[in-house]
Amino acid sequence: MIKFFRKIRQNLLSENKFSKYLIYAIGEIVLVVIGILIALSLNNWNENLKSIKEEKEILNNIYKDLSTDSIQFDYYESQFQKIETLHLQLYKVGIKNEELDSISEPALIRRSLYFKQLIDSDFEKKAHTIENSKIREALILYTKTIADLETVYEIELLPLINKKLKNYLAEKELYNVKNWFELKSRTFDDYSYDEINGKNLVDKDGLIELAKTKKFQQMLFELNVKWNDFHTRLMIVINENYKLRDLIRQELKEY
C-alpha cells in the first residue's frame, strides 16, 4: 500500500502536476489523520472496556465484603439483645428488688466482641475510583459510620469491660475457676452460652447480690449506656450496609 501511494506521488511530480499533487498530499494527510483518530478511538474503547471490567470486579468484591459484614453485624445485634436482657434482669433484682425465677447466663456481663469488619476506613480511598457518584458517596458515608462504631466500641466500651468490670468481678471472687477449666476441655467448635448452662463462669447468686450494691449499680449504668450507644450506631451501620448493597446490586445489573 505504501509503495502504491509512493508511485502515485512520483508520477504526479514527474508530470509537473503540482496542483494535483498538492490535492493528493492533502488527501493523504487527511487519511493519516483519520487513521490516527480511528486508532485512538479503538484504544479508548479498549481502555473503557478495561475500566468497566475493573470497576465491576471492585464492586463485586465490595458487595461480597458488605454481605460478610452484614452477617457479623447481625451477630452483634443478637449479642446486644442478650446483654441488654441480662442488664434489665440485674436492674430488676438489684434496684427494684423483684424476684426472678432465673437470670440469663451471668458471664454475659463481661461479654466483649471480636470487632473486625472487612469494609473499614481504608475503603474511602477505593471509593474515589468508582464512577457511580451515588455508590461513591454511599461508600464514603458507610466507612465513616464504621469509624464511629469502632470509636464507641474500642475507646469507650471495651476499656470499661476489660479494665474496670472484669477486675471488679475478680476482686469480688465471682469467677468460677473450676467451671472455666472444665469448659476448656471442650472443643471450641461446639462452644456457646447455651451449652454451659449449669456451669456458669460467673457466680449467678454472687452476681445477683452484687447487683444490690451501689457501686455495681453505678457501673451497670455506665456499662448499659455505652452498650446502648454502641447499639444505636450499629443500627445505623446495618441500615447503611443494606442501602449500599442495594445500590451496588442495581449498578451491576447495568453492566
Side-chain angles (χ1 to χ4, degrees):
M1 183 63 71
I2 294 173
K3 290 182 178 179
F4 174 75
F5 286 121
R6 186 184 298 140
K7 187 175 182 180
I8 292 175
R9 286 199 304 271
Q10 289 172 350
N11 289 337
L12 289 172
L13 287 172
S14 63
E15 294 173 6
N16 292 320
K17 296 179 180 179
F18 182 75
S19 60
K20 290 185 177 181
Y21 173 77
L22 186 60
I23 294 171
Y24 165 79
I26 293 171
E28 190 172 326
I29 291 171
V30 170
L31 286 174
V32 171
V33 170
I34 291 172
I36 292 172
L37 290 174
I38 292 172
L40 288 173
S41 296
L42 287 172
N43 184 62
N44 289 337
W45 184 70
N46 287 329
E47 287 297 319
N48 286 335
L49 282 179
K50 183 179 177 182
S51 296
I52 289 171
K53 184 179 178 181
E54 289 176 353
E55 181 159 316
K56 185 178 179 182
E57 185 176 348
I58 289 172
L59 290 177
N60 269 312
N61 289 336
I62 291 175
Y63 186 85
K64 290 176 183 177
D65 289 344
L66 287 167
S67 299
T68 301
D69 281 351
S70 71
I71 294 171
Q72 185 170 234
F73 295 142
D74 287 343
Y75 170 73
Y76 294 161
E77 164 67 9
S78 69
Q79 291 302 301
F80 167 79
Q81 295 300 335
K82 291 180 180 180
I83 292 166
E84 178 74 358
T85 297
L86 177 61
H87 286 185
L88 290 173
Q89 290 170 341
L90 293 174
Y91 161 73
K92 289 177 180 179
V93 299
I95 297 177
K96 299 189 74 177
N97 294 315
E98 293 183 12
E99 291 187 7
L100 301 179
D101 293 335
S102 64
I103 65 170
S104 304
E105 166 55 45
L108 285 167
I109 193 65
R110 66 188 297 280
R111 183 78 167 102
S112 58
L113 303 172
Y114 175 72
F115 189 72
K116 182 61 181 176
Q117 66 294 321
L118 297 176
I119 303 284
D120 55 25
S121 56
D122 291 340
F123 269 76
E124 189 169 347
K125 299 174 184 176
K126 188 174 288 188
H128 294 290
T129 66
I130 296 173
E131 190 71 24
N132 187 309
S133 60
K134 288 185 178 179
I135 294 178
R136 185 169 63 246
E137 291 167 5
L139 185 54
I140 292 172
L141 176 61
Y142 181 70
T143 58
K144 288 180 178 177
T145 60
I146 287 289
D148 288 341
L149 185 65
E150 284 181 330
T151 298
V152 170
Y153 182 74
E154 295 178 358
I155 296 179
E156 297 182 15
L157 181 57
L158 198 58
L160 174 61
I161 296 171
N162 288 339
K163 296 181 180 179
K164 192 172 181 180
L165 178 65
K166 289 181 179 180
N167 290 339
Y168 186 58
L169 295 175
E171 179 187 325
K172 295 299 180 179
E173 299 180 350
L174 292 190
Y175 290 137
N176 288 322
V177 179
K178 181 180 178 181
N179 285 353
W180 166 250
F181 281 96
E182 288 182 357
L183 178 67
K184 285 182 69 175
S185 65
R186 293 172 177 263
T187 59
F188 280 87
D189 293 337
D190 314 279
Y191 179 76
S192 73
Y193 281 112
D194 292 336
E195 291 180 2
I196 62 172
N197 189 25
K199 280 189 173 296
N200 299 317
L201 302 182
V202 173
D203 183 77
K204 184 178 291 187
D205 294 332
L207 185 61
I208 291 173
E209 289 304 311
L210 193 65
K212 298 175 182 179
T213 66
K214 293 292 184 182
K215 183 174 181 179
F216 182 82
Q217 290 167 9
Q218 293 298 308
M219 196 177 297
L220 181 63
F221 168 83
E222 189 177 2
L223 186 63
N224 190 259
V225 166
K226 286 180 169 41
W227 267 116
N228 275 273
D229 190 10
F230 170 81
H231 181 250
T232 298
R233 295 169 193 272
L234 175 63
M235 296 311 294
I236 294 173
V237 168
I238 289 173
N239 185 51
E240 294 299 329
N241 180 289
Y242 175 81
K243 289 194 295 186
L244 183 52
R245 278 186 291 150
D246 189 55
L247 282 173
I248 293 175
R249 270 197 304 268
Q250 296 302 320
E251 178 69 9
L252 289 175
K253 288 179 182 179
E254 300 297 324
Y255 287 109

